[in-house]
Amino acid sequence: MNSTRQTTVLSGLVALLMITSLFAPAVSAQPEQPADDEPADDEERTYRIVQGDQEFEVRPIQGELPVEEFYDYRYPYQSREDPSWGRSFSSEGTTEFQQDDTSILMLCEGPNGVSLVAIHDKYYEDRENGTAGSSVSWELTGLPEDGEWAVIDDDYDWRNETVEKDDIHQLGADHRTGAAGNDGDPPEGVDARLSWVWSNGRTDGMAYRGLGGENVSITIDPAFNGDSYHRFGDDRRPDEDPDDPEEGPEYNGTIDDWQVISATEDGEEIRRAWFDSLEEEVRIETAPATEPVTASLSGPDRATVGENATFTANATDDVEGYEWTVDGTPIDSADESTLTHSFDEAGTATVNVTVATADERTDTASHTVDVAEAETETQTAEDSTPGFGIGAALAALGGVLLLAARRRGT
């Protein structure tokens, strides 16, 4: 290549580099667009419900309906066009979750946010098929200040001074949003006291919306059955005459179980968990975000058939279990974080380890190994005769010298 051609080529390369350097900053300055399916922060929020040593991870029941329609509370005059509609005084939208003599607690997420939902007992269209009702009182603290009562069963928006009702709802001044009425201030330091009484084949309960914040922590101090704030037929109702004791059997049944209901991870089914106590406080809170666990795997890049090779797993968090595989075949390890293994055949092998934490976070790391055939005894003997090549060379040199001497003699 002559000097002129070299100069032309170099000039072209310089120009290309200058153009690249000019356009590179403009490309890198473009903001990265988030993926369409990337979840928003509130969709990543998780919750837990705690009682004593029990802790339940809870996924909200997802739905397209507002929680009022999901709960579907029926009471007279809710429909002005049909005054007789809704005389069940119950939640008819949650019958698939209800059980006899059982209180359920769950989270529901609809178009207006996340709500805490509670329902006591089970609704029956034919009341005679249901069990006797009961009474429950809850004192709640930590209600989000920007939340609201989506449902208080029974809290009638049509009631007046001449209308009697069984339930008592005492709401703090800062936590009355959404409530139709109020029966007085709750005890000091309590946001609300809800005290329910219901008859056989009916339900009571509530839905409080506004749990979408980052630091939700609601406490329920429960009082079931005879421990409730008031019970049908007794004289504990303040400022009112005792209820008719002759009707007591329909109201004075018992709640025997208290359950947590959560959606499964795929949202297709539900799972139930049981509290150990009907007396101990329960706390509903946002769970702190957990970082994903990351696994790493170290070991030799080369190995020999029949010889042991050692691989060591590490993780960014405490690990409760290790699962090892070699080319997809599970391998047991006496020391869970370390695998000592000998390969049966030459080729490329893949060693995998999956680590799992106590809260079921997992990650898998891989390592590839080139496995060589073991050396045979014959190969070893041939390789151990280093003088053979030199001896042959000397013999050849002697032959040449002998031939040269003969030629001189001739």
Side-chain angles (χ1 to χ4, degrees), residues 47 67-68 70-71 105-110 112-119 138 140-153 171-179 191-192 194 196 205-213 216-218 220 284:
Y47 299 85
V67 70
E68 296 93 334
F70 169 80
Y71 193 101
L105 195 62
M106 58 186 172
L107 299 177
C108 299
E109 185 168 10
N112 299 324
V114 179
S115 301
L116 175 65
V117 176
I119 299 162
W138 284 358
L140 296 98
T141 55
L143 294 174
E145 292 185 0
D146 57 351
E148 62 177 340
W149 297 103
V151 179
I152 299 182
D153 173 358
L171 311 176
D174 297 331
H175 299 93
R176 296 176 183 173
T177 303
D191 294 336
L194 308 181
W196 297 278
M206 63 90 179
Y208 189 85
R209 180 167 43 225
L211 277 69
V216 172
S217 182
I218 300 173
I220 299 173
I284 302 98

Side-chain angles (χ1 to χ4, degrees), residues 130-174:
T131 59
S134 189
S135 54
V136 173
S137 300
W138 284 358
E139 294 182 354
L140 296 98
T141 55
L143 294 174
E145 292 185 0
D146 57 351
E148 62 177 340
W149 297 103
V151 179
I152 299 182
D153 173 358
D154 302 302
D155 183 28
Y156 317 131
D157 59 5
W158 51 270
R159 74 181 179 89
N160 54 49
E161 294 180 357
T162 65
V163 176
E164 296 180 358
K165 66 187 186 72
D166 295 329
D167 299 338
I168 297 174
H169 305 126
Q170 299 166 336
L171 311 176
D174 297 331

Side-chain angles (χ1 to χ4, degrees), residues 393-407:
L394 291 175
L397 178 60
V400 171
L401 293 174
L402 180 57
L403 180 60
R406 287 180 178 177
R407 287 180 176 178

Side-chain angles (χ1 to χ4, degrees), residues 293-363:
V293 64
T294 302
S296 60
L297 181 58
S298 60
D301 296 328
R302 298 178 182 278
T304 302
V305 171
E307 294 183 1
N308 284 337
T310 300
F311 305 88
T312 302
N314 289 286
T316 55
D317 208 335
D318 293 335
V319 174
E320 190 165 281
Y322 299 82
E323 293 183 2
W324 294 89
T325 64
V326 175
D327 290 335
T329 301
I331 304 294
D332 291 331
S333 172
D335 180 2
E336 290 188 331
S337 63
T338 301
L339 175 68
T340 300
H341 180 74
S342 61
F343 299 94
D344 296 329
E345 57 185 23
T348 300
T350 301
V351 180
N352 286 346
V353 63
T354 299
V355 301
T357 62
D359 57 357
E360 299 182 350
R361 287 174 292 142
T362 63
D363 190 37

Side-chain angles (χ1 to χ4, degrees), residues 262-275:
S262 173
T264 55
E265 188 170 356
D266 59 10
E268 297 297 325
E269 299 179 357
I270 65 166
R271 52 185 173 83
R272 296 179 186 265
W274 280 256
F275 288 121

